[in-house]
Amino acid sequence: MIVASVDTTSQSFALGQVTGVLLVALVGIVLLWRLTGSWRSPSTPAGGDPALTLREERKRRLLIVGVTVLIAVGAGVKAAASYNPEPRASETRAAAPAFGAAEAGTARTVVLPDSFEDFRLLTGEAAERVETEVLAGRKLPEGTKTGYYDEDGDENIDLVVLVRSAEWDPKVREEKATKSISQEFRNFFTAAKARDATRFAPGPYGGGISCGFADYFGGTQTVCAWSDATTFGAVRLVRETNLADAAQTTLTLRNAAMR
């Protein structure tokens, strides 16, 4: 679910960008002084006035100093503007408590609902059957909770949800302490080979929700993910739907599952 890649939203990446900007400025300043060395030290022509030559040398040196200051100031402004790391996922906070939610960043209980909207959780033999079809021998990361939902009452799968939480999996806490939500989404949608991934309003629990399209079993389906300080949920809707509707379904499921 979470694969390794360069986190372009991390503090280290932002510091690398700052260092790059300052290094370019430093190289420019060094070249400026080296290339203008002879120009900054004019010689006194035969019969000339050394005092005039000295004044000219000081004027030229002040000019180069001024250009150096401009380069340094410009580089400083650009470096400051380029340092904009996204908080780690573990640092995210909900906009406001809702549904009796605890303060964001604390461990929450995640309980997949028996039903939400028109979806009903499959149980017993039906759940075992669809799980065998979905996993096809693959193993999920340890600690992943799964839910298989039927929308039209035929006991066939219409929605799959997988949830990982720091509440029961310490690896999730470790991952969220090093990755931003944007990086989590990039890794997830890359692994899912999804396209057109789009962010949507995350709702009262904060964090983020994103949805995109992926091809499964010869057809297009919609995949979504939510993330906050302690949980990561992945949702697959078997029937292709527009991303906004898929995001709303994911949000409804998330709100119903969080405690």
Side-chain angles (χ1 to χ4, degrees):
M1 183 181 295
I2 300 179
V3 297
S5 62
V6 176
D7 187 352
T8 58
T9 62
S10 68
Q11 293 179 356
S12 58
F13 186 87
L15 285 172
Q17 288 186 307
V18 169
T19 301
V21 170
L22 296 180
L23 183 60
V24 170
L26 178 61
V27 170
I29 289 172
V30 170
L31 287 175
L32 175 67
W33 281 85
R34 287 198 173 189
L35 295 176
T36 60
S38 59
W39 177 79
R40 284 184 286 103
S41 302
S43 58
T44 303
D49 185 352
L52 289 175
T53 302
L54 181 60
R55 286 197 294 272
E56 181 64 21
E57 181 178 353
R58 289 174 177 173
K59 184 190 300 183
R60 294 181 182 184
R61 182 177 292 272
L62 284 175
L63 177 61
I64 296 303
V65 168
V67 173
T68 299
V69 170
L70 287 176
I71 293 174
V73 170
V77 171
K78 185 174 179 60
S82 66
Y83 185 77
N84 187 31
E86 184 178 325
R88 303 304 85 195
S90 61
E91 299 168 350
T92 58
R93 295 291 181 268
F99 312 121
E103 173 70 19
T106 62
R108 294 192 183 96
T109 298
V110 181
V111 180
L112 295 178
D114 293 334
S115 63
F116 72 98
E117 293 184 344
D118 294 328
F119 293 92
R120 299 292 181 272
L121 182 66
L122 293 174
T123 59
E125 293 182 0
E128 293 176 1
R129 174 176 54 81
V130 298
E131 182 171 65
T132 301
E133 294 173 358
V134 171
L135 297 184
R138 296 186 299 270
K139 289 187 177 180
L140 294 173
E142 186 177 352
T144 301
K145 287 187 177 181
T146 59
Y148 306 97
Y149 286 86
D150 169 28
E151 186 179 17
D152 50 17
D154 62 0
E155 293 196 340
N156 288 319
I157 187 171
D158 292 307
L159 181 149
V160 184
V161 57
L162 295 83
V163 182
R164 301 181 69 204
S165 174
E167 177 196 1
W168 61 75
D169 186 351
K171 290 183 179 179
V172 174
R173 190 174 299 279
E174 294 174 4
E175 291 169 356
K176 287 184 173 292
T178 59
K179 292 182 174 65
S180 66
I181 287 178
S182 292
Q183 181 65 12
E184 287 185 309
F185 285 164
R186 276 197 297 273
N187 291 346
F188 170 74
F189 288 109
T190 298
K193 298 181 180 180
R195 59 187 182 277
D196 301 330
T198 305
R199 292 284 286 266
F200 293 90
Y205 288 102
I209 287 179
S210 186
C211 296
F213 297 111
D215 295 324
Y216 291 101
F217 308 112
T220 299
Q221 299 181 3
T222 313
V223 292
C224 296
W226 83 71
S227 179
D228 55 41
T230 58
T231 65
F232 186 92
V235 175
R236 175 162 63 91
L237 292 93
V238 174
R239 296 189 182 93
E240 179 184 1
T241 184
N242 68 69
L243 297 183
D245 288 346
Q248 182 58 51
T249 296
T250 299
L251 176 61
T252 302
L253 171 57
R254 180 194 188 195
N255 289 343
M258 303 298 281
R259 299 289 188 272

